[in-house]
Amino acid sequence: LYCLVFFFRLTSIIRHEGYLPYDKSGDWLYHFIEIAALLFTASALYGCMVPFKGTYQKELDRFGEFNVPEGLGAIYLAGPILIIAILIHPNLNADFISDTAWTYAMYLESTALMPQLYMFQKQASGVVELLTAHFVAALGFGRLMEFFFWIYSYHELANSSGSKLPGYLALFSQFVQLVLMIDFFWYYYMAVKSSTPLVLPQTAGLGIV
């Protein structure tokens, strides 16, 4: 999912500048970070699928596998979100494809962690590896910062008719992910505070973690 996020955001910000800061001097940095993120994510995916396939916990990575081929359960997130992005998107680039691509990346990013949280829930021991826990916590902190950013900037995400619905939906999508991660944040905080491994109950919060 993160490969899709970075790919679609790149297709928008490389062709147009509507979702970049007014000061164009730093545009290259945004492009570099997105390209690097896509390359790192793609290489990590390749590593899990090819050279380090033996370490891949296939039996746990079964998010959304209902009437779809193995490993494609995330389509139940990617598909509906694409439809929402097509129907509800801002118009800062004045280009349907570019605006939809950027919006799709933003909406999808707010749900991209759900398969990972699902895997945590399915682990028999409930113990989360230290590096994985820090990685997920960092992503969650990033979503928190992004939520605060959109609280002050959502009004800029207006569509062609002037409606601020895309901005409201951006805020809502960030809020939903934070709600889904509340219990993870709590157990992560307790683990860091007590210097013990992060152990998650098999059922907690909204049933995601």
Side-chain angles (χ1 to χ4, degrees):
L1 290 179
Y2 274 105
C3 283
L4 291 177
V5 168
F6 297 128
F7 172 78
F8 278 97
R9 189 150 55 211
L10 267 173
T11 61
S12 175
I13 66 173
I14 286 181
R15 295 175 56 228
H16 300 91
E17 300 177 347
Y19 299 97
L20 294 175
Y22 291 115
D23 181 0
K24 295 178 173 43
S25 62
D27 286 2
W28 67 271
L29 182 59
Y30 283 89
H31 296 159
F32 173 78
I33 291 175
E34 292 293 335
I35 291 172
L38 177 59
L39 292 177
F40 285 138
T41 305
S43 63
L45 180 60
Y46 172 78
C48 289
M49 297 292 101
V50 183
F52 304 106
K53 189 175 181 179
T55 66
Y56 173 44
Q57 297 174 303
K58 184 178 179 179
E59 69 283 358
L60 300 179
D61 191 13
R62 305 182 67 86
F63 176 86
E65 288 189 0
F66 179 72
N67 292 331
V68 294
E70 260 188 20
L72 295 181
I75 194 172
Y76 287 114
L77 291 176
I81 290 174
L82 176 59
I83 295 174
I84 294 174
I86 291 173
L87 296 176
I88 306 175
H89 58 264
N91 197 45
L92 298 185
N93 285 335
D95 179 88
F96 175 80
I97 294 178
S98 181
D99 288 321
T100 300
W102 185 89
T103 307
Y104 182 52
M106 181 182 62
Y107 292 166
L108 187 61
E109 190 173 21
S110 68
T111 63
L113 267 181
M114 289 180 65
Q116 181 67 65
L117 299 178
Y118 177 84
M119 286 186 69
F120 288 163
Q121 181 185 14
K122 294 302 179 182
Q123 291 183 131
S125 64
V127 178
V128 180
E129 293 183 4
L130 183 62
L131 287 178
T132 304
H134 290 327
F135 168 72
V136 174
L139 289 177
F141 181 73
R143 298 286 74 73
L144 180 62
M145 295 297 99
E146 192 168 352
F147 178 68
F148 289 145
F149 171 80
W150 286 121
I151 286 178
Y152 293 98
S153 307
Y154 74 92
H155 58 276
E156 296 183 14
L157 298 180
N159 59 22
S160 56
S161 65
S163 171
K164 293 184 176 61
L165 181 58
Y168 294 134
L169 194 53
L171 271 178
F172 177 74
S173 65
Q174 300 300 323
F175 177 74
V176 166
Q177 179 168 352
L178 292 175
V179 169
L180 292 175
M181 295 189 69
I182 283 177
D183 49 356
F184 174 84
F185 282 138
W186 172 251
Y187 290 111
Y188 177 78
Y189 167 75
M190 295 302 294
V192 172
K193 181 181 179 182
S194 58
S195 299
T196 58
L198 174 59
V199 181
L200 297 173
Q202 288 190 286
T203 303
L206 297 178
I208 298 298
V209 178

